[in-house]
Amino acid sequence: VQATVVGFLAAVAAVALGAVSRGGVELDQAVVLCASSVTTAFIAALSLGLVMIGVIIGSRKVGINPDNVATPIAASLGDLITLSLLAGVSSTLYHYRDIWYLSPLVCLFFLVLIPLWVVIARRSLQIREVLRSGWQPVIVAMSISRTPTGPPQSSVGGLILDKTVSDPNFEGMAVFTPVINGVGGNLVAIQASRISTYLHFWSIPGVLPYKMRQHWPNPCVTFFSAGVNSKSARVLFLLVVPGHLVFLFAIKMLQGGHTAITLAFTCCYLCAALLQVGILLYTADLIVRLMWRKGLDPDNFSIPYLTALGDLLGTGFLALCFRLVMVMEGLGL
């Protein structure tokens, strides 16, 4: 239900923003965009849901914590499956755009199915709660972050990316953006899931356990205390540099990015990545505690906010990184 609705809203937002920036709307392309977005969101959500069920069951059987496995797989496969589906579906619908009723019919078909999914979802008490109150984080995240089922213009982070990739001074930024956003999003999602699991194990919704009794901890508590969540934050933070170095090496070997990976660029890039992940891990600690005090499940409410913030911070810091490297090169440094 949420995937279909958010896919449709992302397409509508992209059409509206495109109309404002370009001064008009091409109706046939707008309809193709809506149909492609809704179809992709529905199929991707269904596929990923089935994959996640298998991953969680398999993790339990082999004795692995699903928090460390399921979230990164969902994030990485989510982008891969969604972008692949979006490319295939949109290409097909655009090829048959002369059949004027095809795209509207496809879009209407998935929208008509929404009441059916609502009826089925309401049979489960847990899903009924998500269906009732789980819309705000998803829609807000869609507005902040670049949604895979919509073009860049459908969000704030996407607007930043759209403005920079068209600038010759930021050539290659499109290659590095999914890397910095993907790594940051995966790491903060793991941390949020681990904190949520800890709260579910040691307390009840609405009441923080004694070891997490501070409502608004300072960064020292998040990163330097003796608690298990603090240790997890330190480990995840230390993974940033080696992880990004591997990706930078891969990009250089594949000759991608159209940007010289110099020492100056590498240092600025790693500083941007460390700053992004540091802010995200601290924000995760705050948001998860806040959601828990309000009686909300952090797994459902915090992760959309955090991954969206990760995309926004990653895109913004990466743009600043490119600008700083350009200034340094201009000064001959």
Side-chain angles (χ1 to χ4, degrees):
V1 177
Q2 288 183 337
T4 305
V5 174
V6 171
F8 180 74
L9 291 178
V12 171
V15 171
L17 292 174
V20 172
S21 61
R22 299 175 184 175
V25 177
E26 295 185 21
L27 188 59
D28 58 337
Q29 295 186 11
V31 174
V32 169
L33 175 61
C34 291
S36 303
S37 181
V38 171
T39 305
T40 301
F42 177 85
I43 299 176
L46 178 62
S47 304
L48 283 172
L50 296 175
V51 170
M52 285 301 97
I53 292 173
V55 169
I56 292 173
I57 294 176
S59 299
R60 286 296 187 185
K61 288 186 176 181
V62 298
I64 299 176
N65 186 351
D67 288 335
N68 297 332
V69 179
T71 305
I73 289 179
S76 55
L77 285 182
D79 287 346
L80 178 63
I81 293 175
T82 303
L83 292 174
S84 301
L85 282 172
L86 182 61
V89 172
S90 59
S91 298
T92 302
L93 292 177
Y94 187 78
H95 180 73
Y96 292 101
R97 66 187 183 280
D98 293 335
I99 306 177
W100 65 269
Y101 58 84
L102 179 60
S103 293
L105 186 63
V106 170
C107 185
L108 183 63
F109 171 74
F110 287 105
L111 293 178
V112 168
L113 288 178
I114 291 178
L116 175 62
W117 305 135
V118 170
V119 172
I120 295 175
R122 287 179 61 86
R123 294 179 179 179
S124 171
L125 183 61
Q126 293 81 3
I127 299 178
R128 186 187 306 170
E129 175 62 24
V130 177
L131 190 65
R132 183 182 63 84
S133 58
W135 293 96
Q136 180 181 344
V138 176
I139 295 175
V140 172
M142 180 202 74
S143 303
I144 298 174
S145 170
R146 183 178 186 274
T147 53
T149 55
Q153 297 87 349
S154 62
S155 64
V156 177
L159 286 173
I160 298 174
L161 181 61
D162 186 54
K163 295 297 182 182
T164 52
V165 295
S166 58
D167 189 335
N169 294 321
F170 293 88
E171 186 179 13
M173 183 171 166
V175 174
F176 295 97
T177 300
V179 176
I180 192 171
N181 291 348
V183 172
N186 283 338
L187 293 179
V188 73
I190 291 173
Q191 179 68 357
S193 295
R194 291 180 66 89
I195 298 175
S196 178
T197 301
Y198 179 88
L199 290 172
H200 280 290
F201 186 80
W202 290 103
S203 185
I204 59 174
V207 180
L208 289 173
Y210 178 76
K211 292 183 179 180
M212 296 181 64
R213 60 189 181 278
Q214 290 181 287
H215 289 182
W216 305 103
N218 58 58
C220 292
V221 174
T222 300
F223 291 101
F224 302 110
S225 65
V228 62
N229 294 321
S230 180
K231 294 178 181 178
S232 173
R234 291 195 295 270
V235 170
L236 293 173
F237 187 77
L238 292 174
L239 289 175
V240 174
V241 171
H244 276 294
L245 287 176
V246 171
F247 284 116
L248 288 176
F249 179 76
I251 292 173
K252 185 175 182 179
M253 290 296 99
L254 296 173
Q255 297 180 348
H258 308 289
T259 299
I261 303 180
T262 61
L263 179 61
F265 175 82
T266 301
C267 291
C268 291
Y269 178 85
L270 292 177
C271 288
L274 287 170
L275 184 59
Q276 176 210 29
V277 173
I279 293 174
L280 287 175
L281 292 175
Y282 177 59
T283 306
D285 198 11
L286 298 179
I287 289 183
V288 171
R289 291 173 190 245
L290 176 63
M291 296 298 175
W292 189 260
R293 294 202 317 270
K294 292 182 175 295
L296 303 174
D297 187 352
D299 285 325
N300 296 329
F301 289 87
S302 65
I303 292 179
Y305 289 123
L306 292 168
T307 53
L309 178 62
D311 287 352
L312 180 60
L313 291 176
T315 306
F317 288 158
L318 189 60
L320 291 176
C321 173
F322 271 77
R323 177 64 68 182
L324 182 59
V325 170
M326 184 177 65
V327 171
M328 293 171 65
E329 291 177 349
L331 296 175
L333 299 176

